[in-house]
Amino acid sequence: MASTYNQLKNKSFSLWPYAIVTAIVLFMSYIIYFVVQAMGQDVDLVSTNYYQQEIAYQEHMDKVGRTKATGDVQLNYNAEAQNILLQLPAGFKSKRVNGNISFFRPSDDALDFDVQLQLGRDMSQLVSAEEMKSGLWKVRVNFTADTETYFTEKTILIQ
């Protein structure tokens, strides 16, 4: 009779090994799915030369400080006329000014473009916004007046 009991005991069925193996397989599948999703993400930096810009940070802060000390650079978007008006402070009128205006689209770097700074007698420049897609734009004005460099950045919303 004891041998019959041992035979029944050996023939008993348990789901635990299958449950453990299934849990491990499901967990490994989730990890593999997560890794595949992570590898498919676009990890481009906002700017292609980000590290060079980081090294020149102190020089950049000096430019911003000089710009704030001379007065506010005005940047106004006119939705009806589809143009952007850049106005430098009157203190730059007696100086020789040259530089560029960079239009930076944070959501799509393919839309970024630069315009050469060509100021009128009243130290203003009008830039057409007809070709610009609607959305958030950062406008960066980097210019030199005589021997000093200046920089300002404004955010505009094109509609």
Side-chain angles (χ1 to χ4, degrees), residues 5 8 11-12 27 33 41 53 58 67-69 79 87 90 92 96 112 121 146 151-152 156:
Y5 176 74
L8 285 175
K11 290 185 179 183
S12 68
F27 179 73
Y33 170 76
Q41 293 293 320
Q53 289 177 353
Q58 184 59 45
T67 306
K68 286 183 181 179
Q87 179 70 50
F92 290 107
R96 196 176 60 126
D112 297 354
R121 283 183 258 177
D146 291 338
F151 177 85
T152 189
I156 60 172

Side-chain angles (χ1 to χ4, degrees), residues 61-130:
M61 291 309 297
D62 293 342
K63 288 181 190 180
V64 171
R66 276 192 295 273
T67 306
K68 286 183 181 179
T70 59
D72 191 27
V73 175
Q74 297 291 322
L75 191 72
N76 299 314
Y77 169 65
N78 185 342
E80 293 175 7
Q82 287 292 306
N83 59 33
I84 299 166
L85 177 66
L86 170 73
Q87 179 70 50
L88 292 184
F92 290 107
K93 205 167 207 171
S94 62
K95 298 180 180 180
R96 196 176 60 126
V97 178
N98 58 20
N100 68 344
I101 307 167
S102 298
F103 293 88
F104 172 70
R105 179 74 183 263
S107 63
D108 187 1
D109 62 347
L111 298 175
D112 297 354
F113 66 96
D114 292 336
V115 173
Q116 190 68 26
L117 193 62
Q118 298 174 348
L119 299 171
R121 283 183 258 177
D122 61 347
M123 302 307 291
S124 68
Q125 180 172 348
L126 200 61
V127 179
S128 174
E130 290 177 1

Side-chain angles (χ1 to χ4, degrees), residues 140-156:
R140 298 172 176 164
V141 183
N142 195 1
F143 62 98
T144 304
D146 291 338
T147 59
E148 294 291 330
T149 56
Y150 299 89
F151 177 85
T152 189
E153 178 177 281
K154 305 283 182 173
T155 301
I156 60 172

